[in-house]
Structures are given as C-alpha cells and as structure tokens.
Amino acid sequence: MAGKDVPVSPLAPKRQPKVPPIPGVRFATAEAGIRYKGRQDVWFALLDQGTQVAGVFTRSKCPSAPVDWCRENLSQGSARAVVVNSGNANAFTGLKGRDAVKLTAEIAAKAAGCKPEEVFIASTGVIGEPLDATKFKGVLDECAKRAADGPWIDAAKAIMTTDTFPKALTRKAKIDGKEVVIAGIAKGAGMIAPDMATMLSFVFTDAPIAAPVLQALLSKGVKGSFNAVTVDSDTSTSDTLMLFATGKAAARGVPAITEVNDIRLSGFKRALNSILLELAHLVCKDGEGARKFVEVRVTGAASARSAKRVALSIANSPLVKTALAGEDANWGRVVMAVGKAGEPADRDKLDIGFGDIVVAKQGARAPSYDEVAVSEYMKGDNIVITADLGLGRGKATVWTCDLTKAYVEINGDYRS
Amino acid sequence: MAGKDVPVSPLAPKRQPKVPPIPGVRFATAEAGIRYKGRQDVWFALLDQGTQVAGVFTRSKCPSAPVDWCRENLSQGSARAVVVNSGNANAFTGLKGRDAVKLTAEIAAKAAGCKPEEVFIASTGVIGEPLDATKFKGVLDECAKRAADGPWIDAAKAIMTTDTFPKALTRKAKIDGKEVVIAGIAKGAGMIAPDMATMLSFVFTDAPIAAPVLQALLSKGVKGSFNAVTVDSDTSTSDTLMLFATGKAAARGVPAITEVNDIRLSGFKRALNSILLELAHLVCKDGEGARKFVEVRVTGAASARSAKRVALSIANSPLVKTALAGEDANWGRVVMAVGKAGEPADRDKLDIGFGDIVVAKQGARAPSYDEVAVSEYMKGDNIVITADLGLGRGKATVWTCDLTKAYVEINGDYRS
C-alpha cells in the first residue's frame, strides 16, 4: 500500500523544486475511493482549447485498456483533459475494461466541456480487477469547479502507488528569444500490492508547438531517458508518457512551431530532454528497495544499438545488481553480463571500471587494481560502471538501481 | 564458500540414487588446495582408449579459457581424460589463463599416458584470479594411481561450489536388445563468493557410439533440458556439458552406432534425454535461495520458438519470481511477462493457470476463479504455471525457481 510504513528512498532529492503554473493547464485532485481510503487517488487536468498532444506507450503486447484508448485518440492531435487514477490499472479486464475507459472519458468530457476523444486516461494499480468508473461521477465535475494552476506536487502525489516520494520538475527554455516553461510529473516503478510496476509521466508546456512536432521530439527524447532506465527488466502493461503543449505562450509573442527541423527549437529540445532525463532518473532512484543509483556506460561497441543492448544486459543482470547491493566491485559479473548479451564482444579487448577506477584491462585484472580504493568507492550512493568493448565507436548509457532484499520483500512478502 | 552453514535446499531429493560403474571410466578426487582448504577440489577421470566425446558450451561471447580449450579439441572426437577443479574458474585471466589450461593438460596427459589434446578441462569458482596450475603437479599422478570405478557421489561433490547437495544420476537403456548404462554428474547454479554461477555436467556411457552421433544427440537433448532451465537469467562464462562414450559395451555384443538415424538408438535417446532433464532439474532445485521448483508451460503460441521465448520471459521475470516466493497467485505479472516478451500475443485470447486451476480466461479473471484454492496450491514446493496464448500450436516448457531474499543474501551480502 502506497507509502505506508515504507521509508522514503535514501536516493530521494533533498528538496522539492518549485514548479510554476503552465498557462492553459488547470487541475485538481480528489478522493474517488477507487481502492485506497483516505488519500487523493484521482488527478483531473483541464487543458485550454488548442492544446496539442503527443504520447509514447508501453511496448507490451498486452497493453491496458487506457493505453489502447490513448493510442487510438492520439492521431487527432488535440487534448482537453487528462484523468489519472491510482489504485486500479484497469488492465487485463477484458470488455469491462474498455467499457470502464469509455465511461470515464464520457464523465470527464462532460465535466470539461469537450468530446470524449479529447480526454486522455491513465490508470495504475492492481490489475485484473474491474475498475468501477461510476466512482468518477460527481468527482470529476467537482474537480473541474475548483481546478487551479497548482500545486503540481499534489498532482504528483495523487498518481503515486508505492512511490516513496512525489516527482515534479520544471524547466525554462527560449524559443526565438522568448521564454516558455515546462512542467512534468512522474510516478515510478513502484509496486502496488498485489500488482505490477508502472511508469506514468505527464509533461506540459505553454509553447505553441504542433502535435506532429511534439510527437517527434517526444519519440526521440524518450530513447535516452525513460527507455534508458530499468529497475528490474519487467515492463508494465500501462507505461504511459504524454506531452501537452497549450500554445498559450503565443500570446507573449512566441512563434508557432510547425516543423521539427525549425532551428528555433534547439533550446526547447534541450530543456525537454533534460526534464525527461531527470524524471526518468527520479523513477529509477525510487525503484523498489533501491539503495544505489547506478549509471552504466558502454563504449567501444560495434554500434550504438549494440552498446545499448550490452548496457541493458549489465543493468538488468540480477548478479550485477546484487553485487552492487553488497557493495562488491564484482567486475567478473560485469564480464558475464557483457558475454551473455549476444552482441559482438572480445574478452581480450574488454576494459571494465567502477567510477574512474580501472579494474580490468584487456581481458584480465588491471595491474593497477586497488581493492581498497574500489571498495571505498562502492560504498557511495551513486555508482558508475564503465565497460569499453574495444571494438568500435558505438556507445550508450543506461541507469538502474541495485537489487536488495527490500525488493524481494516489497514484491514477494506482502502476504506474510 | 561452498556448503558452509548453508542449509541443504528444501527441494533436494530425499535420497541419492546408486550410480553404477561405467566400464572404461575410472576416477579419483583430491585436495589440490586451489582455493578451498580441507575439501576435495579436483576430480580426475581416466577414459579407456577409443572413448568418443561430444560437448556443448556456454553461448557467452566471453567464455573462459577451459571452454576455449575444450571447443578446440572437440573436433578430433576422442578423449582420454577429464580434469575438473572447483574454487577457481580460470575465466577472464587473459594469456595467463591459456597458459594455465595448457599446463593442466600437460600434467594430466602425463598422468593419463595420452596426448594433451585428449584431455578435457573445466574450472569453476572465482573469476579474474589467475589459476595456479602447478598445484596439479603430483596431484593428478597420484589420482591416476588410485583411480577406481566409483563412487560417483565423490566426483559430484568435488565439482561443487555453493551447491547444497551433490548431483549424480544413472539410467539404463537397450541397444539392439542389449543393455548399456549411463551415469551423469552435475554442479549447479551455485554461487561461489565472490563470483558467478556456473553449470557443469559430465555424462558417461559404455555404449559404442561414434562422436558425430553423440554430438547430434547431445545438441538436440540439451534444448529441452539444460537450455530450458533458468535460475536468474544470467549466463556463466564457463557452462559446460560433455558426453563421453567408452564403447566398452561392444564387448558384450552391443553393435557400434555410427549413424544418428539408426533406429536401434531410440531407447538410448530416451534414456539420455531423461538423465539430461533430471540433471537440469536438480540444478534448478539447487538454485540459489530456491524454495520452489517451478514449471512454466506455454501453449498456443505462434511457433515453438516463440513459445520458448514467452516461457523464458515468464521464468526470468523478477516480479513473477518474487510473487512465487510470496506464494501469491499473481497472474497479472504472468500477463505482464507474456506482454513484454515481444512475441505475438493477444491479451484477449490469453488463458493463465496455476496447476490445474484456471485463473484467467480470454483476457480477464476466470468466472470460476477461486482465491482460496489457488492460495492453497501456491503453498506447495512444486508449482506449474500455464499460459495458453490462443494463437497457434507452438508450445514449450521451461523450469525455474523462485526469487527469495536468500538469493540476494547469497549474492550480495557476503561482504557484511
């Protein structure tokens, strides 16, 4: 159950940033009683007319009903409302699931004064349990009445499941010399008894950017951020990342952007990629039972694609992750993970390091290997693993956390 | 460290079978002091002239020096000696590793009276540490002098690392109406501080079967046995499975087999596949921290290959495995694992079961779902998960164990 008796991750940021309002976005949270009692479990956002939308979703072949709904309605490019609930993922609920999504969209559309297909929906929580969407009746109406332009931290809290801290961030950027603002919230790979981890993230800007451009930016930006973090290699049926642009900054003279190659977008791109990356890192830092935040850098691979596969093989290896939990500089397990990736690799060209310390050089223990220095390094909260394959110029970086007994406890022991 | 203070797996067989001598095979074990003190850490087997050999090895792109050696020498098809040590895997040891294997082969060849390339070698234990092969000097000579045709259980013990019980099995078969015998030993996915899991298995028969036939039988037999078990999805650099045929049964009138399609082989094939499967199951039952033995049966997939990928996705999912440890019939996580496999799947055609109990039918909770019955079933030591994809006729079965806190403890906490 969310937050109950679970200490905040030691990797949580020491303070929450102040996230400013995004012109054109208003929201409220409420207790719909979907599953939890006595906590906000619904977040309802209203978007001004003309808001453009883009999204990327789970690659699961068994996606949830809300994911199906969002994918279908994304093509029209405009959005007027977002409904997110925690407590029930409405996944693997058959025909009932589709009906629940439809009813949710109808209730939200009435409250927002828009068409159902302009409502985007995400659900997170238990799966296989029918979601009773009639619980949104009245609740969303009431939310619409008191919707305001903040605080974002409340939105971040309402979508949490077993996250131990809320995740809300902001960035500023300039388009043609004029400022635009970005705000984003995320919930992490938290588990909700008795169900699965789900990553949800919603990012908003007042920049006037057309939907196809937004989609291109998001699809590219996700590769090095949300698609480069892994907690336990498992993929939720509900993973959702959406980007909304209200266009309200046009009133301040920001030009409308309709081409992805528009040179005036460069600052915005950087800011967007930066917020996506930090949100993804926060998700990772709140991985179940995580005690260490781990960056895996692979260089010298045959290609960038090959480098990413090797990096994920290292980041997902239970033996690497348990060694990290044990603060053990077990480079042999890193070699093992490189070897099992199935990508081009040559044992005798492989260099492995922890932080700046080279532990293995060209396939054998480095002559300079200093056990004491490495052991000291492994005690830190932030660990960098480097692997140079010595073959080509392909490189990739991914992030993960360690695998602790707390992970097994959270995901296996909740019945006892 | 092997066996110390670690209780025997609750999944260990209640009694050890009596494994008979294999004519043409003699062996002894010794204390070479490679790493352990006060235990047998070397097994040296002598094979009569004419012994045929086959092998399959790790698919790791970074194999150990002994794996390289065995692969190179397999092509000649004959074998006269086997040296296996525990305590040091001689993996990722660079040029020194190759030299150590060469020296081991030379010492063994002298003791056995054969050529170095007729000696097959496997090492298991720490990696990245140079193996001091001079420690075999004298030891293998002495072993050769007292080599005897048993007991196999001693051989099984000498090759253990963190296995909690020795694994030695036997089978009988008939070729052309005359009996032949098979004996096999294995060591499991046991961890040896501070290093990686390795599977080693050696199977012997007195049947007169030519090397190319043996290789074909072994390559086929491994698919449904050793290549269908997984403890934690990690692949050792040293995995080795070898099959030796001394041909001594020819003296009792068993005909020489030189063609893989020889109809007289059918009984032998069955017996071989059966011993490979049971050895693989024993490895799985001794998986680190394993408390449950789990069979994953996938049916209705687009193809057999697709079925196996889906089955391994389920068997390797940390969320499925922690749920099993928690005795939780969390079929949502099984759906998740089907969905993430990347293979053809249709949420709304998917049936999931535990044992004989159907929990999900065509994409939603089964109307007959009985929580009490399922919970009772999940308390057992042996769990069967079934997933019918409802698409085609492809099927596959794989085996795994649960993921417990003890796994994390064994692999991460040994420093504390």
Side-chain angles (χ1 to χ4, degrees):
Chain A
M1 194 63 74
K4 233 174 230 174
D5 301 329
V6 178
V8 171
S9 166
L11 305 171
K14 297 291 166 266
R15 63 181 63 117
Q16 286 288 344
K18 278 187 187 156
V19 181
I22 301 294
V25 183
R26 290 174 307 127
F27 56 84
T29 61
E31 284 183 36
I34 297 296
R35 182 182 171 89
Y36 305 122
K37 300 283 169 223
R39 65 156 275 199
Q40 312 283 308
D41 60 358
V42 179
W43 172 56
F44 186 40
L46 302 172
L47 306 166
D48 279 7
Q49 200 142 14
T51 296
Q52 301 287 287
V53 60
V56 291
F57 303 93
T58 180
R59 287 172 183 159
S60 172
K61 303 279 181 179
C62 301
S64 68
V67 165
D68 279 349
W69 172 271
C70 290
R71 274 211 182 97
E72 269 165 41
N73 293 311
L74 205 61
S75 53
Q76 53 151 21
S78 75
R80 295 296 309 281
V82 184
V83 184
V84 184
N85 75 276
S86 54
N88 186 312
N90 193 17
F92 216 53
T93 42
L95 266 178
K96 279 183 198 161
R98 268 159 283 186
D99 291 346
V101 169
K102 201 159 162 272
L103 182 56
T104 307
E106 284 164 5
I107 295 169
K110 214 170 151 199
C114 67
K115 289 181 281 185
E117 52 271 32
E118 293 173 312
V119 177
F120 290 84
I121 298 170
S123 296
T124 175
V126 303
I127 91 165
E129 297 275 348
L131 171 72
D132 180 6
T134 62
K135 291 199 173 172
F136 294 126
K137 274 186 189 159
V139 171
L140 299 187
D141 278 328
E142 188 268 331
C143 279
K145 275 173 202 146
R146 57 183 172 80
D149 60 9
W152 284 100
I153 196 82
D154 286 357
K157 281 180 185 165
I159 66 171
M160 281 166 62
T161 49
T162 50
D163 300 63
T164 71
F165 62 90
K167 297 156 192 76
L169 296 175
T170 184
R171 291 290 186 279
K172 281 177 182 162
K174 284 190 174 168
I175 294 180
D176 206 22
K178 289 167 195 83
E179 196 168 87
V180 297
V181 62
I182 306 174
I185 59 172
K187 75 163 288 276
M191 206 67 175
I192 170 163
D195 285 290
M196 86 177 56
T198 285
M199 194 289 300
L200 299 182
S201 183
F202 305 92
V203 180
F204 300 83
T205 179
D206 58 354
I209 302 177
V213 180
L214 279 186
Q215 187 64 50
L217 295 179
L218 192 64
S219 297
K220 193 158 182 211
V222 78
K223 283 185 194 165
S225 58
F226 284 105
N227 283 347
V229 294
T230 176
V231 168
D232 57 9
S233 80
D234 278 338
T235 306
S236 163
T237 55
S238 306
D239 287 340
T240 296
L241 166 63
M242 300 192 81
L243 173 59
F244 302 88
T246 64
K248 289 289 165 183
R252 295 197 314 274
V254 177
I257 304 290
T258 54
E259 297 291 336
V260 73
N261 295 325
D262 194 320
I263 197 165
R264 296 170 297 181
L265 260 183
S266 61
F268 182 84
K269 271 186 207 170
R270 268 198 307 276
L272 176 65
N273 289 342
S274 163
I275 196 171
L276 292 176
L277 185 62
E278 194 179 341
L279 284 168
H281 283 183
L282 289 180
V283 165
C284 205
K285 287 175 178 174
D286 207 7
E288 288 140 352
R291 297 292 175 266
K292 290 181 193 294
F293 179 60
V294 183
E295 178 168 317
V296 179
R297 290 184 205 150
V298 171
T299 52
S303 67
R305 188 189 167 89
S306 178
K308 189 153 182 186
R309 285 192 181 158
V310 171
L312 284 172
S313 178
I314 297 169
N316 281 326
S317 159
L319 292 178
V320 170
K321 291 160 82 84
T322 47
L324 288 163
E327 305 193 335
D328 176 24
N330 197 319
W331 57 274
R333 294 187 188 174
V334 179
V335 178
M336 176 280 301
V338 171
K340 80 165 181 166
E343 293 296 317
D346 180 339
R347 185 182 65 200
D348 299 336
K349 288 184 176 167
L350 196 51
D351 294 351
I352 308 273
F354 290 97
D356 294 332
I357 308 166
V358 178
V359 292
K361 194 90 195 154
Q362 299 192 325
R365 189 165 56 197
S368 62
Y369 181 79
D370 177 355
E371 171 103 29
V372 176
V374 179
S375 295
E376 199 49 42
Y377 177 76
M378 300 306 287
K379 289 178 189 160
D381 282 349
N382 289 275
I383 303 291
V384 177
I385 301 177
T386 62
D388 189 285
L389 308 193
L391 298 178
R393 299 180 60 189
K395 59 181 180 176
T397 301
V398 305
W399 294 270
T400 189
C401 54
D402 54 345
L403 171 55
T404 65
K405 277 192 274 188
Y407 176 89
V408 179
E409 211 159 79
I410 295 166
N411 291 310
D413 281 6
Y414 40 78
R415 290 209 167 213
S416 57
Chain B
M1 194 64 75
K4 232 175 231 174
D5 302 328
V6 178
V8 171
S9 167
L11 305 170
K14 297 291 167 268
R15 65 181 63 117
Q16 287 288 345
K18 278 187 189 157
V19 181
I22 301 294
V25 183
R26 290 173 307 127
F27 56 83
T29 61
E31 283 183 37
I34 296 295
R35 181 183 171 92
Y36 304 122
K37 301 281 168 224
R39 65 156 275 198
Q40 312 281 308
D41 60 358
V42 179
W43 172 55
F44 186 40
L46 302 173
L47 306 165
D48 279 8
Q49 199 142 15
T51 296
Q52 301 286 289
V53 61
V56 291
F57 303 93
T58 179
R59 287 172 182 159
S60 172
K61 302 279 178 177
C62 302
S64 68
V67 165
D68 280 348
W69 171 271
C70 290
R71 274 212 183 98
E72 267 165 43
N73 292 311
L74 205 61
S75 54
Q76 53 150 22
S78 76
R80 295 297 308 282
V82 184
V83 184
V84 184
N85 74 277
S86 54
N88 187 314
N90 193 16
F92 216 53
T93 42
L95 267 180
K96 280 182 196 160
R98 269 160 281 188
D99 291 345
V101 169
K102 202 159 162 274
L103 181 57
T104 307
E106 283 163 7
I107 296 169
K110 214 170 152 199
C114 67
K115 288 181 283 186
E117 52 270 32
E118 292 173 313
V119 177
F120 289 84
I121 298 170
S123 296
T124 175
V126 302
I127 90 166
E129 296 275 347
L131 172 70
D132 180 7
T134 62
K135 291 198 174 174
F136 294 126
K137 273 186 190 161
V139 171
L140 299 186
D141 278 328
E142 187 270 331
C143 279
K145 276 172 201 146
R146 57 183 172 80
D149 60 8
W152 283 100
I153 195 80
D154 287 355
K157 281 179 184 165
I159 66 171
M160 280 167 61
T161 50
T162 50
D163 300 62
T164 71
F165 61 89
K167 299 156 190 75
L169 297 174
T170 184
R171 291 291 186 278
K172 282 177 181 162
K174 283 188 174 166
I175 294 179
D176 205 25
K178 289 167 197 82
E179 195 168 88
V180 297
V181 63
I182 305 175
I185 60 171
K187 76 163 287 277
M191 208 63 178
I192 171 162
D195 285 289
M196 87 177 54
T198 285
M199 195 287 300
L200 300 181
S201 184
F202 305 91
V203 180
F204 300 83
T205 179
D206 59 353
I209 302 178
V213 179
L214 279 186
Q215 186 63 49
L217 295 178
L218 191 64
S219 296
K220 193 160 182 207
V222 78
K223 283 185 193 165
S225 58
F226 283 104
N227 284 346
V229 295
T230 176
V231 167
D232 57 10
S233 80
D234 279 336
T235 306
S236 164
T237 54
S238 307
D239 287 340
T240 297
L241 167 62
M242 300 193 81
L243 173 59
F244 302 88
T246 64
K248 291 288 165 183
R252 296 197 314 274
V254 176
I257 304 290
T258 55
E259 296 290 335
V260 73
N261 296 324
D262 195 319
I263 198 165
R264 295 170 298 182
L265 260 184
S266 62
F268 182 83
K269 272 187 207 170
R270 268 199 306 278
L272 176 66
N273 289 341
S274 163
I275 195 170
L276 292 176
L277 185 62
E278 194 179 343
L279 284 168
H281 283 183
L282 288 180
V283 165
C284 204
K285 287 176 179 175
D286 206 7
E288 288 140 352
R291 297 293 174 267
K292 290 182 193 294
F293 179 61
V294 182
E295 179 167 317
V296 179
R297 290 183 204 151
V298 171
T299 52
S303 66
R305 188 188 166 90
S306 178
K308 189 153 183 187
R309 285 192 181 159
V310 171
L312 284 173
S313 178
I314 298 169
N316 281 326
S317 160
L319 292 178
V320 170
K321 291 160 82 84
T322 47
L324 289 163
E327 306 193 336
D328 176 21
N330 197 320
W331 56 274
R333 296 188 187 174
V334 179
V335 178
M336 177 278 302
V338 171
K340 79 164 182 166
E343 294 296 318
D346 179 339
R347 184 184 66 199
D348 300 335
K349 288 183 177 166
L350 195 51
D351 295 351
I352 308 273
F354 289 97
D356 294 331
I357 308 166
V358 179
V359 293
K361 193 90 195 154
Q362 299 191 328
R365 189 166 55 196
S368 63
Y369 180 79
D370 177 354
E371 171 104 31
V372 177
V374 179
S375 295
E376 199 49 42
Y377 177 75
M378 299 307 287
K379 290 180 189 159
D381 283 348
N382 289 275
I383 302 291
V384 176
I385 301 177
T386 63
D388 189 285
L389 309 193
L391 298 179
R393 299 180 63 188
K395 59 181 179 177
T397 301
V398 305
W399 294 269
T400 189
C401 54
D402 54 346
L403 171 56
T404 65
K405 278 192 275 188
Y407 176 88
V408 179
E409 211 159 79
I410 294 166
N411 291 311
D413 281 5
Y414 39 78
R415 289 210 167 210
S416 57

